[in-house]
Amino acid sequence: MTRVLRTLSVILLLALGALAPPGLAQVAPEPSASATVPAEIDVGVWEQEAVRAENLIAAGTASTAFLENLRITLANWRAVFLAAQNANAERIATLQAQIEALGPIPAEGEAEPAAIADRRAALTAQMAQAQLPRVTASEAFNRANGLIAEIDAILAERQARALFERDPAPVNPLNWPPALTGIADLMTRLGAEVTSQLAGLRNAGESPWDRAFFAVLLASAGLFLLLRSRMFVGRWTDVLQQDGSASPGREVFAFAISLLQVLFPIMGLLVVGAAVGMLHLLGAAGGALLGAAISGLVAVYLALWLGGRLFPANPAIAAAFGVAPALRPALRRAVVLLGLFFGLGSLAETISALDVIPLAARGVFVLPVYVGLAVALLWLAALFSQHRKDLRDGPDEGDGGFIARLLLGAITAMRAVAILGTGLAAAGYLSLAEAAMTPTALTLGLLGVLVVLQSPIRALYAVVSGQTQDQAAQALLPVLVNLVLVFLALPVLALIWGMRPEQISEIISRFFVGIDLGGTRITPTIVLAVGLVFAIGMIATRMLQGALRSTVLPRTRLDAGARHAVVAGVGYVGIGLAAVIAITTAGIDLTALGVVLGALSVGIGFGLQNVVNNFVSGLILLIERPISEGDWIEVGTTMGIVKSISVRSTVIETFNKTDVIVPNADLIAGTVTNWTRGNTIGRAVLTVGVAYGTDTRRVQRILEEIAASVPGVAKYPEPGVDFLGFGADSLDFRVRAILVDVNDLVRVTTEINHRIAERFTAEGIEIPFAQRDIWLRNPEALHPPHTASIAQGAMPQTKGET
């Protein structure tokens, strides 16, 4: 547990240094005009350091602390070599361009002019000399990197070996007397330290009573902060959130005030510790115990705050995971119990590490702490199991819900760690038990903090955006912020579970070193620069599109479809230019990426050929404009109005008010009927039949009058009526009418039909319908003999009738 507390002390330093890998804070060596390694790199010193590291690694006798210091030194050298790999970059680029300007090297057996050959040889020699610092730095970088990897392997092996070391079993009664003896010796040592401190003060002519007054004042202030501050701050937060429906601003303020429930008690502990220190009565052992006690009480107060925020006493305030008010008090007590035994673990480890405590007694002091942690974990697991049962039986959340699955995993892990950790500690595997139980408690605390932060983050977003709590709960940005917090918590989790800070630093260092792609190193800084320049280019493109759409193009004679094509084309060109400018601005050589992009294009050609086909088809549609937004088109069985045209597909709104997404390739390769292309003139065609015997010329004249009188029918050319011929049941006529606006086709057709029906009724013209006469050749064959007798009046006799 001491190891974990010591590890947590570097978390803040790691967070502050997370933006730069170790050693990169040094000034990068400037490229020298001469073709030598930059002056900042002393090759001789590095060679001595590297040989010394190789000998120590080969011997395997160096201590862990020495290897850690050696690793830091090698990491600093590696950072310098990484920076030196860019030495003479401009000079090398210039020489490369000069060599390429001389043309290709002649083939074997061919000769080139002597002047060109001499110049090529001179430039090649200068190129080799200019590349020497880069080659030297690259070789040294790889050497340092390999040495660091070997040291990491040694440290990891030692850490694993220490993890499985077995101490004397604390359940063995033979180890109990040494523990009691150790406690007695500790008391004796503490008394001896106090006596020694008093003797030293008397020899110096001082007395602890000289500072007693100020020490009592400090201790009183510290005890007040320690014992009463939580109550006053708790009342304040209860007033702010008394009805559970506080405004977002009040919720953010209440959360900030609740932090004082931790800050004030910690200040009180520090003040009490300072008051005790003013008396100069404690020696080394007493000071260590006082520090451990303060650390343990800090853990308790953190647990008190975390339990109160996760499972508030006010039933009107929502609890974590939707816990019912009935379970909240027990959960708060379980969290505090977990924090209490975690703090006691720090005190027990400090006591067992003192030289007056025998090695056999270490487990006797630590085992009760692990038993207490196990009880707390099992209690939490039982309470969460009850809550999970309530979720499963409730109307809103089933067993397959996310919260239920999350709780199931946590419950299983807590039970397994509690049982396994206690068994390992009882068997003497104290380090292994500590590696299982202490990180589990810290992980639960860290996850609890992340859960607590969700509500104030949503409330803060609601305050900034001016939204309500319900709207903020559905927003994306708070979720992204929480995901970022989870990502930032990953290094802390790695430290909690035993990863060394040097390993975290190594991961961060490798991340900032980047990857080599096509001869170009891609680093996070380059990615950030590319994203920033591309975003600026996108914003400029959108502004230009907006200006064209609202100001420039409406003043031209272009129709709506052409204006849309121009705006879309400007957008695609702007995106392409923004991408090229962003890549080149970041210093990425496009020629170096040519091979990589060429290989990717082959895969894209096979895997995304349909997407590329639709993209190219979309560009053709925008350039040729066979269809435009607002056109009435017919594609296969789909007919409707073009709603939008993108680079991949076209959206058609049918007359049923449904959107049909048609791939652009279908519009280019298939047959498309555009009813409104160029103009809105169209034609309506109707057929009508009249009864045989009707005057056909009279019918033709009437139909012409009807068609000409309907609004929306063009006067020129005039409507036409055709006598199609003699149908099976009627004399068939066809009405042809040119429409001013084809969008009125349905309305005009309906109106013509109405007027035909009304006029034919008035004129006495009959519109026939199909009639069929059925003649039965042998009707008697349809009736059986007994049916015929019934028809003649003879009733058939049934059995039994007289």
Side-chain angles (χ1 to χ4, degrees):
M1 192 166 296
T2 303
R3 175 183 58 82
V4 176
L5 293 175
R6 185 173 63 251
T7 301
L8 291 179
S9 66
V10 305
I11 290 178
L12 179 60
L13 296 177
L14 179 63
L16 294 176
L19 296 179
L24 289 185
Q26 302 182 19
V27 178
E30 296 290 338
S32 175
S34 61
T36 59
V37 178
E40 288 81 353
I41 301 179
D42 192 330
V43 178
V45 174
W46 158 244
E47 183 64 27
Q48 295 176 2
E49 191 72 36
V51 171
R52 184 172 71 96
E54 290 170 348
N55 293 334
L56 288 172
I57 292 173
T61 57
S63 65
T64 300
F66 188 85
L67 288 177
E68 289 177 349
N69 293 330
L70 179 60
R71 188 192 184 286
I72 294 175
T73 302
L74 293 175
N76 292 333
W77 276 105
R78 183 180 62 179
V80 174
F81 296 143
L82 176 64
Q85 290 183 19
N86 294 324
N88 297 336
E90 294 80 5
R91 179 58 180 164
I92 292 173
T94 302
L95 291 172
Q96 184 66 35
Q98 289 180 275
I99 294 175
E100 292 177 354
L102 296 177
I105 299 176
E108 185 177 356
E110 297 181 0
E112 63 179 349
I116 296 178
D118 294 341
R119 184 58 178 166
R120 187 188 302 277
L123 291 175
T124 302
Q126 293 180 31
M127 173 68 78
Q129 196 71 8
Q131 289 178 336
L132 181 60
R134 177 179 295 185
V135 174
T136 303
S138 178
E139 183 273 333
F141 174 85
N142 292 326
R143 187 180 185 183
N145 203 37
L147 292 174
I148 290 174
E150 293 181 34
I151 292 177
D152 286 339
I154 294 175
L155 293 177
E157 181 183 359
R158 291 182 179 180
Q159 185 179 12
R161 188 166 56 247
L163 201 62
F164 288 93
E165 289 181 355
R166 186 181 180 185
D167 295 311
V171 294
N172 187 352
L174 297 177
N175 297 324
W176 298 349
L180 297 176
T181 303
I183 290 294
D185 293 342
L186 177 60
M187 300 283 85
T188 303
R189 178 171 179 177
L190 291 176
E193 286 184 351
V194 172
T195 303
S196 175
Q197 291 293 112
L198 289 174
L201 290 175
R202 283 194 299 267
N203 293 334
E206 299 179 2
S207 172
W209 299 107
D210 297 337
R211 305 183 184 88
F213 178 74
F214 296 102
V216 170
L217 286 180
L218 278 178
S220 300
L223 289 174
F224 176 80
L225 292 174
L226 193 64
L227 301 176
R228 306 297 295 176
S229 61
R230 290 194 73 258
M231 181 184 66
F232 290 118
V233 175
R235 290 177 179 176
W236 195 357
T237 55
D238 289 342
V239 170
L240 291 173
Q241 295 180 301
Q242 55 184 353
D243 57 353
S245 59
S247 63
R250 290 169 65 93
E251 182 174 349
V252 174
F253 186 63
F255 175 77
I257 293 300
S258 72
L259 295 176
L260 298 178
Q261 291 183 310
V262 178
L263 181 61
F264 283 166
I266 292 177
M267 291 175 59
L269 289 172
L270 295 178
V271 170
V272 171
V276 175
M278 286 181 61
L279 300 177
H280 297 293
L281 295 177
L282 299 180
L289 292 177
L290 178 62
I294 291 176
S295 300
L297 288 175
V298 168
V300 173
Y301 279 100
L302 284 172
L304 284 169
W305 174 82
L306 188 60
R309 297 302 301 180
L310 287 172
F311 314 108
N314 188 352
I317 302 176
F321 310 116
V323 173
L327 289 176
R328 296 183 190 182
L331 282 168
R332 288 196 299 271
R333 289 192 292 269
V335 171
V336 174
L337 183 65
L338 189 66
L340 174 63
F341 278 101
F342 182 84
L344 289 176
S346 174
L347 183 61
E349 286 286 352
T350 302
I351 292 175
S352 61
L354 296 175
D355 53 5
V356 297
I357 303 298
L359 179 62
R362 176 173 178 258
V364 177
F365 292 109
V366 175
L367 179 60
V369 174
Y370 292 145
V371 172
L373 286 175
V375 171
L377 290 174
L378 291 175
W379 192 10
L380 279 173
L383 293 173
F384 279 128
S385 180
Q386 177 61 39
H387 175 56
R388 183 173 177 271
K389 181 178 180 299
D390 295 340
L391 288 178
R392 187 171 60 247
D393 298 338
D396 296 331
E397 194 77 41
D399 190 30
F402 174 73
I403 294 179
R405 293 195 301 270
L406 182 64
L407 290 177
L408 178 61
I411 291 168
T412 305
M414 286 188 289
R415 288 174 175 170
V417 170
I419 297 173
L420 181 63
T422 306
L424 290 173
Y429 293 98
L430 301 179
S431 298
L432 199 57
E434 177 188 355
M437 300 193 71
T438 305
T440 299
L442 288 173
T443 301
L444 291 175
L446 180 60
L447 295 179
V449 171
L450 294 177
V451 173
V452 166
L453 289 176
Q454 291 185 7
S455 180
I457 287 174
R458 286 195 301 265
L460 182 61
Y461 174 77
V463 172
V464 174
S465 62
Q467 298 180 359
T468 63
Q469 285 277 43
D470 294 337
Q471 292 173 336
Q474 303 299 324
L476 177 62
L477 185 58
V479 177
L480 295 179
V481 173
N482 288 320
L483 288 177
V484 171
L485 291 178
V486 172
F487 178 77
L488 294 178
L490 293 180
V492 181
L493 280 175
L495 288 173
I496 288 174
W497 284 97
M499 184 175 285
R500 302 193 319 278
E502 296 82 6
Q503 293 174 303
I504 302 293
S505 301
E506 180 69 15
I507 294 174
I508 296 175
S509 176
R510 289 181 179 275
F511 175 75
F512 278 90
V513 166
I515 59 174
D516 188 72
L517 185 62
T520 301
R521 185 168 294 277
I522 307 298
T523 64
T525 304
I526 291 179
V527 173
L528 181 62
V530 169
L532 181 61
V533 175
F534 182 75
I536 294 174
M538 284 290 296
I539 293 173
T541 301
R542 295 296 182 237
M543 293 176 63
L544 178 59
Q545 285 182 298
L548 290 174
R549 187 184 295 109
S550 60
T551 305
V552 179
L553 294 179
R555 303 176 186 273
T556 64
R557 296 182 179 181
L558 298 176
D559 56 22
R563 292 198 296 268
H564 172 75
V566 171
V567 172
V570 170
Y572 299 141
V573 173
I575 293 174
L577 290 177
V580 173
I581 294 174
I583 293 174
T584 54
T585 302
I588 300 177
D589 188 4
L590 292 178
T591 58
L593 296 178
V595 177
V596 178
L597 295 178
L600 290 176
S601 64
V602 176
I604 291 174
F606 284 103
L608 301 176
Q609 54 183 343
N610 291 331
V611 176
V612 175
N613 186 18
N614 289 322
F615 177 80
V616 175
S617 300
L619 296 179
I620 294 174
L621 290 176
L622 292 175
I623 295 173
E624 295 186 354
R625 296 192 300 113
I627 61 174
S628 302
E629 289 186 6
D631 285 356
W632 176 7
I633 67 172
E634 182 178 0
V635 183
T637 59
T638 302
M639 177 183 291
I641 306 299
V642 177
K643 192 174 181 180
S644 64
I645 303 175
S646 64
V647 293
R648 191 193 69 83
S649 61
T650 297
V651 179
I652 300 175
E653 183 180 8
T654 67
F655 298 116
N656 294 328
K657 295 301 179 181
T658 58
D659 290 343
V660 178
I661 301 175
V662 180
N664 289 331
D666 294 348
L667 299 176
I668 296 298
T671 301
V672 180
T673 301
N674 194 331
W675 294 85
T676 57
R677 176 64 179 167
N679 55 67
T680 58
I681 297 176
R683 190 177 76 160
V685 178
L686 299 87
T687 58
V688 62
V690 298
Y692 276 92
T694 308
D695 186 352
T696 57
R697 297 189 181 276
R698 179 183 171 214
V699 172
Q700 181 176 359
R701 185 173 63 255
I702 292 174
L703 292 176
E704 289 174 349
E705 293 174 359
I706 292 173
S709 64
V710 175
V713 176
K715 303 301 180 182
Y716 183 84
E718 297 178 351
V721 178
D722 303 325
F723 180 24
L724 296 179
F726 306 94
D729 303 299
S730 62
L731 302 173
D732 298 330
F733 291 83
R734 179 176 61 192
V735 181
R736 296 175 287 102
I738 300 299
L739 306 182
V740 176
D741 189 351
V742 73
N743 295 306
D744 294 333
L745 176 62
V746 176
R747 183 189 62 80
V748 172
T749 303
T750 301
E751 183 62 25
I752 291 176
N753 286 330
H754 279 304
R755 297 195 180 191
I756 289 175
E758 295 169 356
R759 184 68 178 276
F760 279 11
T761 301
E763 295 289 342
I765 299 175
E766 179 185 357
I767 300 177
F769 53 86
Q771 297 183 6
R772 296 293 184 267
D773 295 332
I774 300 177
W775 178 71
L776 300 178
R777 186 172 183 179
N778 299 313
E780 64 278 0
L782 299 178
H783 302 283
H786 72 276
T787 304
S789 63
I790 293 175
Q792 295 174 3
M795 297 296 295
Q797 293 184 354
T798 60
K799 185 175 181 180
E801 288 185 348
T802 57

